[in-house]
Amino acid sequence: VHGAGRNQLTEVEALKVFQAYGIPTVPHRVAHSEEEALKAAQELGHPVVLKVLSRDVIHKSDVGGVRVNLRSHQEVAEAYQSILRSVREAQPTARMEGVLVEGYLQGGREVIVGMSTDPSFGPVLMFGLGGVYVEALKDVSFRVQPVTRFDAEEMIRSIRSFPLLEGVRGEQRSDLGILAEVIQRVSQLVGDHDRITELDINPFLSFPHGGMAVDARIGLSR
């Protein structure tokens, strides 16, 4: 990526990096045509999610580049064409590389594990509720890299909404062990590669047993 003059990994590239560091990711396939998208959906099993693949598109939802909960071949075919039209209208110069087909995960709790670079402290890790909540509530915790197991568990417990992860009013408890492990693995990743300047797993979907990275972003120094 750096050799190609880019400072942002595609989502597929970011998912590969996370997989290499033992971070579980949502089952996915890359499709370069409508036919490949249909085949990928069949292999993964419906319902699925389609996301535009373009190194020029950072925020896919903003340009109509995401379709979720597609339950049939017809819905997948229509979504594929709809995504191409929407992205071309919103960002005509974007280079289209196909779509990412992912399994559609239901249930679970959305959290975010992220990293940014502080001018004084270097890599700083972040944890909090993910999805739309991270912007609305800003309920996150931070620790300077490297992050130990104790640090990771403290990050998780220090957010105001921690009771939601424990399960309230009969809701299922999130797997706190996998959350702490993912934070540590991200800490190891950014410690190994100082060209990484920012990183987001948002959301990481946490279940009672295990979890998966659903959306991935990694930025590099110029």
Side-chain angles (χ1 to χ4, degrees):
V1 172
H2 221 279
R6 292 191 283 132
N7 67 327
Q8 197 81 29
L9 275 69
T10 66
E11 186 170 0
V12 174
E13 290 167 341
L15 287 171
K16 285 181 179 179
V17 171
F18 291 139
Q19 286 176 328
Y21 272 76
I23 297 171
T25 64
V26 63
H28 59 276
R29 303 280 192 279
V30 176
H32 301 288
S33 66
E34 181 181 316
E35 290 73 22
E36 289 185 4
L38 292 171
K39 181 181 179 182
Q42 185 173 7
E43 291 174 352
L44 294 171
H46 297 96
V48 296
V49 175
L50 262 60
K51 300 178 182 178
V52 63
L53 266 183
S54 171
R55 61 193 63 190
D56 300 316
V57 176
I58 305 301
H59 301 290
K60 296 178 281 294
S61 296
D62 293 348
V63 296
V66 180
R67 300 291 187 275
V68 302
N69 199 15
L70 305 172
R71 296 182 168 275
S72 67
H73 268 39
Q74 181 178 347
E75 289 184 4
V76 171
E78 292 173 352
Y80 183 90
Q81 297 301 329
S82 176
I83 286 174
L84 296 187
R85 287 194 303 270
S86 297
V87 175
R88 284 178 182 138
E89 291 172 4
Q91 206 168 322
T93 59
R95 289 165 289 183
M96 305 290 288
E97 301 162 28
V99 299
L100 181 63
V101 184
E102 293 182 346
Y104 180 64
L105 302 179
Q106 302 180 67
R109 179 72 64 185
E110 292 185 344
V111 301
I112 180 173
V113 179
M115 168 265 176
S116 60
T117 304
D118 183 272
S120 301
F121 298 104
V124 177
L125 270 71
M126 174 186 68
F127 173 83
L129 283 191
V132 297
Y133 298 111
V134 66
E135 293 294 336
L137 302 180
K138 294 181 170 56
D139 183 16
V140 294
S141 59
F142 299 92
R143 292 294 184 280
V144 175
Q145 195 274 342
V147 173
T148 66
R149 178 78 180 197
F150 177 83
D151 295 330
E153 291 174 349
E154 197 174 54
M155 287 176 72
I156 295 168
R157 293 180 180 277
S158 64
I159 63 173
R160 297 189 306 276
S161 48
F162 173 69
L164 295 178
L165 300 179
E166 286 192 302
V168 295
R169 294 180 180 244
E171 290 184 345
Q172 291 183 318
R173 175 187 176 97
S174 294
D175 187 338
L176 303 181
I178 191 66
L179 297 182
E181 184 174 331
V182 168
I183 293 171
Q184 287 181 279
R185 289 179 182 271
V186 169
S187 174
Q188 181 72 42
L189 166 62
V190 300
D192 288 347
H193 304 281
D194 57 7
R195 282 180 170 171
I196 296 178
T197 56
E198 57 181 355
L199 174 157
D200 279 332
I201 304 175
N202 185 26
F204 183 90
L205 207 54
S206 173
F207 296 99
H209 302 285
M212 290 184 183
V214 176
D215 205 26
R217 185 175 66 90
I218 296 177
L220 306 177
S221 58
R222 292 187 179 277

